[in-house]
Amino acid sequence: MTGERTAFVFPGQGSQFPGMGRDLRPFGPEGEEVVARAEEVTELPVARLMATADARQLADPEVAQVLVFTWSAAALAHLRARGRHPAYVAGHSLGEFTALYAAGSLGLDTALGLVSCRGRAMRAAARRSQGSMAAVVGLPVDLVRGLCRLASDDTGLVMVANANSARQTVVSGTTGAVRHVIEQAREAGALRARELPVGGAYHSPLMAWALPALAAKLATVPLDTPGVPLVSSTTGLPVDDIDEYRDELLWQMLRPVQWQRTVATLRTLGVGLFIEAGPGRVLTGLGRETARGARHLGVHDALRENADVRAAVAHGSAPPPYTPGAPTPGVPGTAAVKESP
């Protein structure tokens, strides 16, 4: 464990679940402060929704995105308070806004305002476009792309929306075309192909209705240079120019998430520990498929490990924990990286 370079990865919409507020309790006063701030900025009853919202309420894009962001930001605050800091950050779709907050490019209030606006805009677009999404497991992404091309020619529009791992792909588009891909994927030998209860065709051109509202909001928001290196989930590459990246934040609603490429890039950069700072374990499972030689932990597991290491150090039975930003032994050219602000 000593010397591992750590990436904090943040999930997107779809990781929310009824009763998710129960998992916030260990985050203590740091988490409570984040939740209170989220309620003030978004004017949503965040604490109550995390405790009592059912699956139907959580399918609302604004509710889902605000809750997932808030949960992740609360986890981040507690990780920081316990001395855990990342060398890199990345986020899956919505999680990219959390990654920007974690990197110091966005303040908490600004990030909450953007996430709330994004959720409302995507909800409106979903109602106008009447599309859907489906997960396909067990087929290569290139084969799924081919199925999408055939379905688009015959029945509407469908495309790969998430290239999550070598064995998991999500498609998005008009409902008829999505269902056609499901049928063809099953015939092609997919282990699983099923429609997702998400209420919209996210990461497809059907989200174009959401662009004006988010573009107007983004135009008013300053983006500071990240204090921690950020890898984009739409390009799978490190972000070099934060001003150019502003457009990526807008157009990512229509573009595929390249999560497999993102994880592979982080691994190439020397990351040996991925901590999923968000509800659920979706990214933990995907990461284990792509970066098998690395360790992948949910936030609660990481905090338990942190406590175990500190106890061992106090008793003189373990080396001190890795100092964030220090060069990684055995990885050439890894200079010190500034800690998360």
Side-chain angles (χ1 to χ4, degrees):
M1 180 172 61
T2 303
E4 287 176 318
R5 293 179 73 76
T6 301
F8 286 0
V9 292
F10 301 97
Q13 183 177 342
S15 59
Q16 72 276 9
F17 57 89
M20 60 193 287
R22 288 192 298 270
D23 287 346
L24 273 177
R25 292 170 188 165
F27 300 153
E30 298 90 8
E32 291 172 3
E33 289 178 14
V34 172
V35 171
R37 196 67 203 144
E39 293 191 332
E40 288 188 32
V41 173
T42 67
E43 299 183 349
L44 290 173
V46 174
R48 179 173 63 78
L49 287 167
M50 284 196 180
T52 66
D54 58 20
R56 181 188 60 79
Q57 291 172 295
L58 293 175
D60 181 309
E62 182 185 12
V63 170
Q65 294 187 35
V66 168
L67 264 56
V68 170
F69 174 89
T70 301
W71 201 108
S72 296
L76 175 67
H78 194 68
L79 284 164
R80 286 170 169 169
R82 297 301 177 271
R84 298 300 291 255
H85 301 276
Y88 295 93
V89 294
H92 190 290
S93 185
L94 160 71
E96 209 145 313
F97 290 83
T98 324
L100 281 166
Y101 166 61
S105 291
L106 292 172
L108 180 59
D109 287 10
T110 302
L112 283 163
L114 276 173
V115 167
S116 180
C117 173
R118 183 180 188 266
R120 289 194 303 273
M122 292 176 73
R123 178 177 61 204
R127 287 173 176 169
R128 295 186 72 165
S129 60
Q130 298 295 305
S132 61
M133 302 179 78
V136 178
V137 177
L139 295 181
V141 65
D142 287 342
L143 176 55
V144 177
R145 286 195 182 100
L147 296 178
C148 288
R149 283 194 293 270
L150 291 173
S152 294
D153 290 342
D154 295 340
T155 57
L157 168 71
V158 61
M159 59 181 286
V160 168
N162 301 164
N164 283 332
S165 72
R167 63 190 298 273
Q168 186 190 112
T169 306
V170 175
V171 301
S172 179
T174 53
T175 301
V178 168
R179 290 175 178 169
H180 187 70
V181 169
I182 291 173
E183 294 172 4
Q184 295 303 306
R186 289 171 177 167
E187 290 184 13
L191 298 176
R192 187 164 66 254
R194 64 181 180 86
E195 200 165 343
L196 298 174
V198 294
Y202 308 123
H203 296 287
S204 82
L206 297 182
M207 282 292 105
W209 298 107
L211 290 175
L214 186 58
K217 185 71 173 178
L218 276 168
T220 69
V221 169
L223 283 177
D224 295 330
T225 300
V228 178
L230 169 71
V231 177
S232 166
S233 69
T234 49
T235 66
L237 299 172
V239 174
D240 295 322
D241 188 320
I242 195 64
D243 291 322
E244 291 182 4
Y245 180 66
R246 183 187 299 272
D247 286 340
E248 199 65 49
L249 287 175
L250 176 65
W251 289 97
Q252 60 146 231
M253 293 189 296
L254 281 65
R255 293 173 178 166
V257 177
Q258 305 289 349
W259 192 248
Q260 182 182 8
R261 188 183 303 169
T262 300
V263 172
T265 295
L266 288 166
R267 192 73 175 113
T268 300
L269 291 168
V271 170
L273 172 61
F274 292 78
I275 295 177
E276 181 173 4
R281 294 174 176 268
V282 173
L283 301 186
T284 299
L286 295 176
R288 286 173 177 160
E289 293 180 24
T290 300
R292 294 182 182 274
R295 297 194 307 131
H296 303 267
L297 299 176
V299 63
H300 292 297
D301 291 333
L303 289 166
R304 278 193 293 271
E305 179 181 90
N306 199 52
D308 291 343
V309 169
R310 289 181 182 276
V313 170
H315 288 86
S317 58
Y322 170 55
T323 302
T328 304
V331 180
T334 53
V337 178
K338 182 181 176 183
E339 293 183 7
S340 176

